[in-house]
Amino acid sequence: MILPVSNFNKHIKFKGKDSKDDKLPKSDTLMKNNIITRSRIAMDKFTKAFTVYPARGLKGSINSDFYEFLTMGTVPYVIGSLTLMSVFNSAAKYFESFDQSAAYKLGNKMALGVVFYALARTISKSFVNLPVKWITGVDTQLPYMKVNHQLPESKDDFDLTSYEYHKVGESVEFTRWDLLYGEPTNKGELNKRYDKIAKRNGLGTNLNDSDQAVKPIYREILVKSNLARSFSSYLWAAAGVALAFQKPWENYFRVATAKFWDTKNFTHSAKVFAESLADSAKELFKPTNPKNKLEKYSGKAVLGLAALSTILGVLNTLHITQKPSKVSEKDVLDKNKESVVG
């Protein structure tokens, strides 16, 4: 049996033989949301975006799907980033000495800006995700592995399976509630996740149907946190680009080296990088010699807007309006009074 699926590459499994592939999930499975899992998922998607998925699409495979198309969005993003990083540095050698120096300065800052843009946009999402998770108990980025049973592409193909990586709350309308339940044979485990979220959000304990009470809250948190991430991540990305264009980075570019085997120079380069980062942050927030008010306050404005959007986004997410009413039938019906049931 050929099983072209794994976290990183294809595996071959022969029928009737014991194989480690037996450990691969047979159905959609929750994954731990930690840095190791996220790194493995990112590496797997990145690798396949440049290799497996384009090849499958170019040959017109009936198993090429929308997930693969979206994953391949990484390709133009990376190519465009590399182009932007090299556009000035590649042409600088053809300029006059003075122009060459200016081109390298701008090119290096643009390259650093691309890196800081990606880092700031990625890291800043945790500024929303983590507080929301800590306070509400809802992990909006909880990943799971989706198992796809593919169609045979030739007469020799059978039992083809592929894996995709999604998030439980990826779709608000089609949230994978089934993956949040525990073992149905164990009553205490069935609603364990929902019980914890209910308790964390003040709905009480020992609820008969904690899942039904939690789902509206879960949806509301998903919608609001998505909005918060969308706004704040791009503002933090803008702050990252602004940080990369500060003058102190020129000190780092003079000594920068990627030759890690040259321990002395590489260590010195890393030290200057840390110093330039600190000095650039100070320069962005409080310029040494601002030419006008715009330059004087623009850095503060960018950082302030990014921080404010994150704070307001988190507060809005934590302001839950979909909590079920705490009014019970005991508060409505008076057993001492007569009532007529029609």
Side-chain angles (χ1 to χ4, degrees):
M1 179 178 72
I2 298 177
L3 187 63
V5 181
S6 169
N7 282 343
F8 294 98
N9 47 38
K10 295 184 178 181
H11 288 262
I12 298 177
K13 180 178 178 182
F14 298 95
K15 190 173 181 180
K17 298 287 185 179
D18 292 333
S19 171
K20 291 182 179 179
D21 289 342
D22 291 329
K23 296 180 180 179
L24 293 173
K26 304 300 181 184
S27 59
D28 297 355
T29 307
L30 275 180
M31 305 175 73
K32 293 181 179 180
N33 187 9
N34 53 41
I35 190 170
I36 295 176
T37 301
R38 292 194 296 270
S39 299
R40 292 179 66 186
I41 291 174
M43 181 59 68
D44 182 59
K45 294 176 71 173
F46 181 83
T47 303
K48 289 181 178 177
F50 282 87
T51 55
V52 177
Y53 297 159
R56 188 178 292 170
L58 289 171
K59 75 175 184 178
S61 171
I62 57 176
N63 291 311
S64 184
D65 56 22
F66 192 58
Y67 170 83
E68 296 181 3
F69 171 76
L70 291 179
T71 303
M72 286 191 293
T74 305
V75 176
Y77 181 84
V78 171
I79 293 175
S81 297
L82 292 175
T83 301
L84 191 61
M85 293 170 73
S86 62
V87 64
F88 277 92
N89 291 338
S90 299
K93 58 184 178 182
Y94 300 108
F95 299 159
E96 298 292 336
S97 298
F98 179 78
D99 294 334
Q100 186 179 101
S101 175
Y104 276 128
K105 286 181 181 180
L106 180 58
N108 289 333
K109 289 181 179 180
M110 286 183 67
L112 193 64
V114 170
V115 175
F116 279 8
Y117 174 92
L119 287 176
R121 186 162 177 258
T122 301
I123 295 172
S124 64
K125 292 179 180 180
S126 295
F127 299 164
V128 174
N129 298 335
L130 293 180
V132 169
K133 181 181 177 181
W134 291 334
I135 296 172
T136 67
V138 175
D139 187 352
T140 60
Q141 303 300 300
L142 186 62
Y144 74 93
M145 182 181 287
K146 186 178 187 298
V147 180
N148 284 334
H149 298 286
Q150 298 181 323
L151 298 171
E153 298 186 20
S154 69
K155 62 180 182 180
D156 298 322
D157 290 338
F158 63 97
D159 201 12
L160 297 177
T161 313
S162 70
Y163 288 79
E164 298 177 1
Y165 300 103
H166 297 273
K167 294 181 176 66
V168 171
E170 192 170 80
S171 170
V172 177
E173 295 298 328
F174 301 100
T175 306
R176 291 298 304 270
W177 304 116
D178 56 307
L179 296 177
L180 297 178
Y181 288 102
E183 292 295 331
T185 54
N186 189 331
K187 187 176 180 181
E189 292 292 322
L190 181 61
N191 279 358
K192 187 176 180 180
R193 290 179 184 272
Y194 293 106
D195 290 339
K196 287 182 178 179
I197 296 173
K199 182 179 179 181
R200 190 75 67 88
N201 289 278
L203 302 184
T205 57
N206 300 320
L207 301 178
N208 291 329
D209 298 299
S210 59
D211 55 338
Q212 299 306 313
V214 162
K215 286 177 182 179
I217 295 175
Y218 204 110
R219 288 194 188 97
E220 183 178 357
I221 291 173
L222 287 177
V223 173
K224 290 182 175 180
S225 62
N226 285 339
L227 179 66
R229 280 194 303 273
S230 296
F231 274 99
S232 65
S233 63
Y234 281 107
L235 288 172
W236 282 113
V241 174
L243 178 64
F245 274 80
Q246 300 306 306
K247 188 175 179 60
W249 285 112
E250 295 175 11
N251 298 327
Y252 168 69
F253 294 135
R254 295 190 189 99
V255 300
T257 179
K259 299 178 180 178
F260 58 88
W261 55 87
D262 187 354
T263 308
K264 183 178 180 181
N265 288 329
F266 185 77
T267 303
H268 177 65
S269 172
K271 181 180 178 181
V272 176
F273 177 87
E275 293 172 352
S276 299
L277 178 60
D279 293 340
S280 294
K282 293 176 183 177
E283 187 68 18
L284 175 63
F285 188 78
K286 188 177 181 181
T288 306
N289 297 306
K291 297 178 181 178
N292 48 53
K293 288 187 177 181
L294 178 62
E295 187 173 328
K296 182 177 181 180
Y297 296 107
S298 58
K300 293 184 179 71
V302 171
L303 293 172
L305 283 173
L308 184 63
S309 67
T310 302
I311 294 170
L312 292 178
V314 171
L315 291 177
N316 181 54
T317 303
L318 299 179
H319 179 63
I320 300 171
T321 61
Q322 297 297 321
K323 289 185 179 181
S325 174
K326 293 184 178 180
V327 178
S328 65
E329 62 178 14
K330 294 180 180 179
D331 300 319
V332 178
L333 300 177
D334 187 348
K335 293 182 178 180
N336 296 322
K337 292 184 178 182
E338 295 182 359
S339 60
V340 178
V341 179

